[in-house]
Amino acid sequence: MDQMKFNRLLRAVAVCLGVFLSVSAAAQTSISPEASRAVDDFMTFRMNLASYRRPEDALLAIERYHNEHLSEEALSGFSEQETLILRNFEVLERYNFMREIPSRKEETVDMLKAQYKVLTSWIAARKGEEFNKWLLTTAGDILSCNLSYARVSQILRDGRAVKNYYERALLQDDSMEYALTNLGQWYYYAPAVGGGSKSKAGDFFERAVEGARTDAETYYAKIFLSQYRFEDKKRRHEAAALLSEADSLQPGGFYVAWIRKINEQGYSLFYWNTHNIRTEDDD
């Protein structure tokens, strides 16, 4: 969920979150070493996408990556679950950049809804099973993004699942950076009456930095912790240091430069997301 926005709809239904989803003994919690490497490779690619200023250029890079690594032929040796994990990641990254292009709004929504249908149908057909941590976390992301375009009944239903998907992933791996970062965002944005807690959010962001295994995981974990630290004026020097450490992993990237710019204006990334503040870079 490193650019995942918890929109007003998610905050409005956060009071409904926290309903426990049953876990069966039947499980598909393991993926192959090859699939694990493919996930790590995509996470590195995801970090490198942060270097692009123009969403159009990032989308061209995603298309090239798809042709080389995510085509049907390239994924032919993976299981259904492994393929779905990688497809979820690809759709989420396309979504992150396509939604920045107003003329592609309808296409963006259609793409997201199509993947949502594939995902939820696949899960529904395996009722009572538990899935791999990467399937759970990317499922939480797909459902969360789809809330922006869903009907009220669907918001209430899927809103209950998002947090639980991240929590179930952490039951498998309590140091999983991706789940910790996303759960930290959930706690940050959710209202207190719905279980939100900025203090808990900070704990999860700290754990994400500690649990990061790769440069890509460290990159996003330090960015989110930096923005949490930025909101404490006494610790803003820590925020700057964390951003510099992230920047050293993807030198000169546009994303960190943009965050520094909004920080210079007095806003954290979280505040900017919540209030939809515009800068000259958004024009």
Side-chain angles (χ1 to χ4, degrees):
M1 186 180 82
D2 80 76
Q3 299 183 39
M4 186 180 74
K5 313 296 190 236
F6 277 78
N7 49 65
R8 289 180 298 172
L9 290 174
L10 180 53
R11 293 194 297 273
V13 301
V15 293
C16 298
L17 299 175
V19 176
F20 183 76
L21 302 182
S22 62
V23 177
S24 168
Q28 298 189 53
T29 57
S30 297
I31 59 175
S32 67
E34 293 77 14
S36 293
R37 284 193 293 272
V39 168
D40 284 345
D41 289 345
F42 190 88
M43 294 291 278
T44 298
F45 172 66
R46 174 174 172 253
M47 174 182 68
N48 291 333
L49 285 174
S51 66
Y52 291 97
R53 178 186 177 90
R54 298 178 66 250
E56 294 86 354
D57 294 335
L59 288 167
L60 287 174
I62 293 172
E63 191 62 30
R64 291 192 295 270
Y65 192 93
H66 170 90
N67 292 336
E68 185 173 354
H69 301 286
L70 300 176
S71 65
E72 289 188 15
E73 181 179 358
L75 297 181
S76 61
F78 292 123
S79 70
E80 289 184 6
Q81 178 178 215
E82 292 164 350
T83 298
L84 185 54
I85 289 167
L86 293 166
R87 290 279 180 249
N88 285 345
F89 270 125
E90 180 182 5
V91 167
L92 288 164
E93 286 309 301
R94 288 185 185 273
Y95 169 77
N96 281 336
F97 293 101
M98 288 172 66
R99 66 180 176 169
E100 300 297 327
I101 305 173
S103 63
R104 300 189 69 173
K105 180 178 179 179
E106 184 175 350
E107 179 188 357
T108 303
V109 175
D110 289 345
M111 176 194 69
L112 184 61
K113 287 187 174 181
Q115 188 64 18
Y116 171 89
K117 183 176 181 180
V118 169
L119 170 69
T120 54
S121 296
W122 191 87
I123 290 175
R126 292 156 181 80
K127 187 175 181 180
E129 295 186 25
E130 182 61 307
F131 308 111
N132 177 264
K133 61 185 182 180
W134 290 109
L135 192 283
L136 293 168
T137 48
T138 57
D141 288 354
I142 293 288
L143 266 62
S144 180
C145 291
N146 193 65
L147 290 176
S148 297
Y149 315 104
R151 295 181 178 181
V152 173
S153 60
Q154 186 177 328
I155 291 170
L156 292 173
R157 182 186 68 241
D158 290 348
R160 296 184 181 97
V162 174
K163 177 171 174 278
N164 268 287
Y165 276 135
Y166 300 144
E167 290 177 332
R168 286 160 60 183
L170 289 173
L171 290 176
Q172 296 179 31
D173 180 357
D174 63 6
S175 63
M176 184 184 184
E177 178 274 334
Y178 193 75
L180 289 165
T181 296
N182 285 352
L183 193 53
Q185 291 180 80
W186 185 92
Y187 274 106
Y188 183 92
Y189 288 114
V193 69
S197 166
K198 288 183 171 56
S199 176
K200 286 185 179 179
D203 292 341
F204 281 109
F205 293 141
E206 289 178 355
R207 286 175 57 189
V209 171
E210 293 170 359
R213 302 173 299 110
T214 65
D215 284 352
E217 290 186 356
T218 300
Y219 175 81
Y220 282 105
K222 289 192 173 183
I223 284 175
F224 282 105
L225 181 58
S226 79
Q227 295 310 284
Y228 183 79
R229 290 280 181 262
F230 181 83
E231 296 193 344
D232 182 346
K233 291 183 179 180
K234 295 180 179 179
R235 306 188 73 172
R236 285 190 174 178
H237 64 286
E238 296 179 31
L242 286 162
L243 271 185
S244 294
E245 291 165 10
D247 193 40
S248 70
L249 299 171
Q250 208 286 308
F254 173 71
Y255 188 50
V256 169
W258 175 77
I259 292 174
R260 281 180 172 145
K261 189 165 189 175
I262 64 172
N263 286 171
E264 288 169 2
Q265 296 174 26
Y267 307 124
S268 72
L269 177 64
F270 301 126
Y271 188 93
W272 185 91
N273 287 343
T274 303
H275 294 82
N276 294 315
I277 296 168
R278 293 180 62 80
T279 70
E280 61 189 55
D281 291 316
D282 300 317
D283 295 328

